Amino acid sequence: MTSHKAKQPPTTGKTSLYRLRSADPASENLRSLVLRRYLEREGFLARQFTNGPLNGLLVTGTVAPGTAGWCSMLSGLTELPVEEENRTSFGLLMVRTDRHVYALSYGMGHLMLDPTRIDPGFGIEFAVRCLEKDRITRVRRQVMDARGRTDENAATSGEHIRGFGIEEFGEIVSQISGQVSGVPLTFTRDGSRPAHITGNDRSIKLHLGRNPEALFSDLQAVERVCDRPDPLPEFEFITQVRPLQGKSDLARRLDERLDSLLGSEDVRQMALTVPSEARERFDLAETFRVSVAGHRETVTDLDAEFLVRTAKSQAPGRRLEALRKGRVTMFADTDASDPISRALPADQWLTVQIPDANVHYFYWQGRWYEVGAEYLTMIRRRVTELLSRPTSITLPPWPARTSEDKYNKLAAEQEGYLLFDKDTVRTKRLRGGGLEICDLLGPGGQLIHIKRADGRKGTAPLNHLFAQGRMSLETLRYDATAKSRFVQKIERTAPEHPADRSFTNPTVVFGIFLKGGVPMTVDSLFAFAQVSLLHTETALRGMGAGLEVVSIDKGGKEQSASPARHP
């Protein structure tokens, strides 16, 4: 006779854990941390309790809005009665320790929390202090530049944090998952299984004890991890950028500074960004409908300067609010009749940097982020090193009142330089469009891209320049037809030119003329441009290319370039 061992009930349950902002956890009225509409909603109960070491507030309820919206459609399609009801449950357990107030969310319980009282960065703070560096399973991150890109990568069995390709600058890690070690949780206490957690900028998802003593012990274990003075060395760079609570005093002061900046119409500290939601279809957009403060306009090109102008006419203190209430919709046609996005808040299309004494603040996709002094020092060090590298080409001064195309022709007069400005290649991969591989080909085969950066347009011209350099090299790498056609252009123009036709290890050069001929230094490049430049260098290096940056001096009247010889 075979005996079967009775299955033991689970000792833990998976939930989302929030840490709440409280000046005095011991005396905090826990009801003040819950949105009033749920406390007053019919069918919702808020009950104080004490059970062993746990002391707190339990809020529960169910919302039954009636028949599901899809019922009528199915009835119409089948002529059969369909009457199904949506029911959404809410559970929120709030408990105190000696130092903090925590909330455990069940169902849609997190929606009941006052968002201004959620401690931002809590989940990331915990994760980077206890995750196994070789057992990371998922990373979500945003790039802090004008591209508005969100990346999410997963590794089912887990891999080293460096395997996810996270930059040490200009990226916000908003979620990270993996196995933890060295944390005495109830889930891992028997030593037979590892714990898997997900930390984000609002919460931690993990297994917590199902009895009062075990849960309280787990909360204390979480606190001890967060008390560790520094993150693990492999994760330290992640903590250099942190989100600010939306309704904090600091965020309100930054809102006021941004509102004032919008009134000055100075876009040098601003850049157009694409909200993550719109990124996938942005390249298909032909027109944008912008509705701000009662004014509606459809444009073919959207830029930061235009968005700022739409808000400038508002009274002080109302400009940022106008952008937040305003909307931008993308359309796939020139008549603005084929929408390819929903109407997105206009402020989410702007990225802004606000420098301060020891930190910088970024407004990105409708939220403020703080960048610490160490992070900025790292960026400045990298940019300074890049700008100080010796260059393999020379570029003449930029004469006054000279357009970009005329300057390119002037630079091409130097011996060994070939002009390819506006001489595009076309292939199926480029969807019929033309792409400039470079403005000039240098005497050693350098792919030279030239840009005059007008200070009034902020970093937009430089972002475009860096993107162009990256895209042109990607095209040479991955589009054999484009590469062949570009080589044919070289052969027709100067068959004896020594450029390596394989472009296996090319050098990409950015020749930049800042307004007034100001020398290009880490102080004359805005932070957005610095981040974009460093990301571009990383991408080019990954394709086997070197990067050089040349600062173009200011010249006098239009002139011819002096011939120059190069090895």
Side-chain angles (χ1 to χ4, degrees), residues 34-42 44 111-113 115:
V34 182
L35 293 174
R36 179 175 295 180
R37 63 177 177 269
Y38 290 101
L39 294 174
E40 299 174 350
R41 186 163 188 152
E42 184 178 356
F44 276 64
L111 296 180
M112 295 191 289
L113 288 171

Side-chain angles (χ1 to χ4, degrees), residues 103-123:
L104 286 71
S105 168
Y106 302 88
M108 301 301 288
H110 63 280
L111 296 180
M112 295 191 289
L113 288 171
D114 182 344
T116 67
R117 303 298 296 275
I118 296 174
D119 194 347
F122 165 56

Side-chain angles (χ1 to χ4, degrees), residues 10-126:
T11 57
T12 64
K14 197 165 191 177
T15 186
S16 292
L17 177 68
Y18 296 78
R19 189 172 68 192
L20 304 177
R21 298 157 64 96
S22 175
D24 187 359
S27 61
E28 179 79 59
N29 178 4
L30 298 185
R31 289 173 177 265
S32 68
L33 305 174
V34 182
L35 293 174
R36 179 175 295 180
R37 63 177 177 269
Y38 290 101
L39 294 174
E40 299 174 350
R41 186 163 188 152
E42 184 178 356
F44 276 64
L45 292 176
R47 294 165 286 178
Q48 292 183 324
F49 74 94
T50 298
N51 186 17
L54 297 185
N55 170 272
L57 179 72
L58 174 64
V59 187
T60 58
T62 299
V63 174
T67 304
W70 43 264
C71 292
S72 61
M73 182 182 72
L74 292 185
S75 293
L77 290 171
T78 63
E79 294 188 345
L80 297 173
V82 181
E83 295 183 0
E84 303 296 340
E85 188 178 52
N86 279 328
R87 296 179 67 84
T88 304
S89 60
F90 293 72
L92 192 64
L93 176 65
M94 307 176 71
V95 296
R96 313 174 196 264
T97 67
D98 293 338
R99 300 167 55 194
H100 295 290
V101 174
Y102 295 94
L104 286 71
S105 168
Y106 302 88
M108 301 301 288
H110 63 280
L111 296 180
M112 295 191 289
L113 288 171
D114 182 344
T116 67
R117 303 298 296 275
I118 296 174
D119 194 347
F122 165 56
I124 298 294
E125 175 187 338
F126 174 79

Side-chain angles (χ1 to χ4, degrees), residues 79-312:
E79 294 188 345
L80 297 173
V82 181
E83 295 183 0
E84 303 296 340
E85 188 178 52
N86 279 328
R87 296 179 67 84
T88 304
S89 60
F90 293 72
L92 192 64
L93 176 65
M94 307 176 71
V95 296
R96 313 174 196 264
T97 67
D98 293 338
R99 300 167 55 194
H100 295 290
V101 174
Y102 295 94
L104 286 71
S105 168
Y106 302 88
M108 301 301 288
H110 63 280
L111 296 180
M112 295 191 289
L113 288 171
D114 182 344
T116 67
R117 303 298 296 275
I118 296 174
D119 194 347
F122 165 56
I124 298 294
E125 175 187 338
F126 174 79
V128 299
R129 284 167 169 77
C130 63
L131 279 171
E132 284 275 13
K133 64 180 183 300
D134 296 313
R135 293 291 184 268
I136 307 302
T137 57
R138 186 178 298 272
V139 172
R140 181 186 299 158
R141 62 200 192 262
Q142 284 81 32
V143 179
M144 288 293 289
D145 68 2
R147 290 176 291 172
R149 194 183 78 217
T150 299
D151 290 336
E152 185 165 327
N153 304 96
T156 305
S157 59
E159 64 176 83
H160 195 283
I161 181 62
R162 291 299 180 189
F164 288 87
I166 305 172
E167 293 280 7
E168 292 191 7
F169 39 80
E171 289 193 353
I172 300 168
V173 174
S174 57
Q175 180 174 300
I176 185 168
S177 304
Q179 291 183 13
V180 300
S181 65
V183 184
L185 297 170
T186 303
F187 187 80
T188 60
R189 197 153 290 155
D190 62 4
S192 64
R193 55 186 177 177
H196 186 277
I197 66 103
T198 295
N200 60 43
D201 57 3
R202 289 165 55 87
S203 66
I204 312 167
K205 183 169 286 188
L206 76 171
H207 282 87
L208 294 172
R210 293 173 66 98
N211 67 63
E213 291 74 20
L215 174 57
F216 196 77
S217 174
D218 286 345
L219 294 179
Q220 290 180 318
V222 169
E223 288 184 345
R224 286 193 293 272
V225 170
C226 292
D227 282 344
R228 296 173 185 175
D230 299 301
L232 297 170
E234 295 81 7
F235 301 97
E236 190 170 9
F237 66 94
I238 291 176
T239 63
Q240 294 296 322
V241 179
R242 71 178 188 89
L244 301 182
Q245 186 56 250
K247 294 185 179 180
S248 65
D249 291 340
L250 176 56
R252 282 195 290 267
R253 290 196 298 271
L254 290 169
D255 281 354
E256 293 171 359
R257 292 178 64 177
L258 176 52
D259 188 89
S260 177
L261 194 62
L262 291 169
S264 70
E265 204 170 338
D266 180 1
V267 300
R268 290 176 298 171
Q269 299 178 62
M270 305 183 189
L272 182 74
T273 191
V274 181
S276 299
E277 179 181 337
R279 177 65 267 178
E280 186 175 342
R281 311 203 74 186
F282 177 73
D283 292 336
L284 303 177
E286 294 290 335
T287 51
F288 303 85
R289 178 178 294 160
V290 182
S291 302
V292 176
H295 176 75
R296 175 182 290 186
E297 186 172 348
T298 301
V299 297
T300 55
D301 292 308
L302 187 65
D303 58 27
E305 194 170 9
F306 175 79
L307 287 175
V308 172
R309 281 203 308 272
T310 65
K312 185 183 178 183

